[in-house]
Amino acid sequence: MNINEKIRYAKDEHLTILRMTESAYLIEDDRNATAYVVVGSEKALVIDTCFGFEDYLEVVRSITDLPLVLVNTHAHGDHCGGNGYFEKAFIGEAELPAYNNTDRPIVRAEGAPAACPAVVMNEGDLIDLGDRKIEAILFPGHTPGALCLLDRKERILYTGDSILGRTIYLFMVNSVTVSEMKKSLLHVKEYQADFDHLGTGHGRVLDPVYYIDSLIDACDTILAGGPAERFGTIEVHGQTLPCCYYRGENDMQATLIYREDLKK
């Protein structure tokens, strides 16, 4: 594939593969999931596995035959539904209760195998791909143990659902407070000299870094309680919840959805 070329995955009409850079591929499931593959000189990094509607290992093998390292940005079914096709995954420690919960197992496509065992990945851990080392950055926010992954060689920060350009869910059962979300955003900004683009959890192309400052501003607005025109309400998952508007994808209005009891 050439850079910026997008192809339809032959075995699933819902999947497309976009070669974003020399070594980075975006896999989009039009049922609303995005994952990535980063190909190094000795190993390849698999970032999330979508829903599991297809043999996701086979999808990755259409890109590379190198040994694989699978990392999940967080333990939601649209990001680790295809984990059962792999032998092992790495995930943030605070995600393990959700990942291993047998009472409420991860929602995955019907017929997909149960999730593979998961090993903890910590802040600062490095994934050696041969020609580069990808660094793990903890990001409590959308979920408590979410991971961002920094590729300094390609200057991309992979964010999962921690940083998005359309909608951020900060109201989930295990989401952190707005104050904690802001701390995570400020922590990521400490690395901003090392990346020029974001690979987000529901992106279609590489996304701009201004999302980070937009979300910091949204957190400040929520914590300050105004101005009023920055707020609205939205119906989601059967609930009416408050949201704060921020500058998102293509400079359009995006929404940070939160709970009043998860502010400070």
Side-chain angles (χ1 to χ4, degrees):
M1 293 175 64
N2 298 317
I3 295 174
N4 295 322
E5 181 182 358
K6 179 185 280 191
I7 63 168
R8 179 72 62 182
Y9 179 62
K11 295 187 177 181
D12 189 325
E13 63 180 8
H14 293 281
L15 290 186
T16 55
I17 300 172
L18 168 68
R19 187 173 188 179
M20 304 184 299
T21 69
E22 187 67 33
S23 63
Y25 297 78
L26 182 156
I27 301 172
E28 182 184 355
D29 186 329
D30 64 17
R31 291 162 289 209
N32 197 22
T34 299
Y36 299 89
V37 177
V38 182
V39 181
S41 60
E42 297 177 8
K43 294 181 181 179
L45 171 63
V46 179
I47 304 172
D48 294 337
T49 59
C50 297
F51 295 103
F53 283 103
E54 61 294 305
D55 182 332
Y56 202 79
L57 176 58
E58 197 171 278
V59 177
V60 173
R61 285 293 177 224
S62 73
I63 296 170
T64 179
D65 59 1
L66 286 172
L68 303 174
V69 179
L70 168 60
V71 178
N72 292 118
T73 58
H74 61 294
H76 283 164
D78 54 337
H79 294 265
C80 54
N83 273 29
Y85 296 100
F86 295 80
E87 294 183 2
K88 179 177 71 175
F90 290 89
I91 200 165
E93 184 171 12
E95 298 297 291
L96 285 176
Y99 189 86
N100 294 324
N101 190 339
T102 56
D103 294 326
R104 295 184 61 188
I106 291 168
V107 177
R108 60 180 64 85
E110 185 177 352
C116 61
V119 177
V120 169
M121 178 160 280
N122 296 303
E123 170 83 16
D125 282 355
L126 299 175
I127 305 155
D128 191 349
L129 301 184
D131 59 346
R132 79 199 75 177
K133 293 180 180 179
I134 310 293
E135 183 172 351
I137 303 169
L138 284 176
F139 194 109
H142 175 63
T143 62
L147 293 171
C148 293
L149 298 164
L150 177 59
D151 181 352
R152 289 183 172 88
K153 181 175 181 179
E154 291 279 17
R155 299 188 61 81
I156 301 170
L157 180 71
Y158 295 94
T159 68
D161 288 356
S162 297
I163 302 170
L164 297 171
R166 279 167 270 160
T167 304
I168 296 274
Y169 283 6
L170 203 62
F171 65 89
M172 311 296 284
V173 172
N174 57 353
S175 293
V176 306
T177 65
V178 174
S179 294
E180 289 175 287
M181 171 80 166
K182 180 183 174 181
K183 289 179 183 177
S184 295
L185 289 160
L186 292 172
H187 180 47
V188 159
K189 271 189 71 69
E190 296 172 8
Y191 296 85
Q192 200 161 326
D194 295 322
F195 61 89
D196 300 319
H197 306 282
L198 305 176
T200 63
H202 292 275
R204 301 182 183 96
V205 294
L206 287 174
D207 284 320
V209 297
Y210 72 72
Y211 293 175
I212 299 171
D213 287 328
S214 293
L215 282 163
I216 291 171
D217 176 68
C219 291
D220 285 339
T221 300
I222 294 168
L223 294 170
E229 60 268 21
R230 291 287 302 280
F231 294 97
T233 58
I234 193 164
E235 298 287 330
V236 58
H237 291 194
Q239 306 174 72
T240 301
L241 292 167
C243 67
C244 182
Y245 304 119
Y246 66 95
R247 177 189 172 210
E249 187 177 68
N250 298 321
D251 290 324
M252 301 291 285
Q253 180 175 279
T255 52
L256 172 57
I257 308 171
Y258 62 99
R259 298 197 331 243
E260 287 291 346
D261 64 326
L262 282 178
K263 288 172 68 171
K264 297 184 180 182

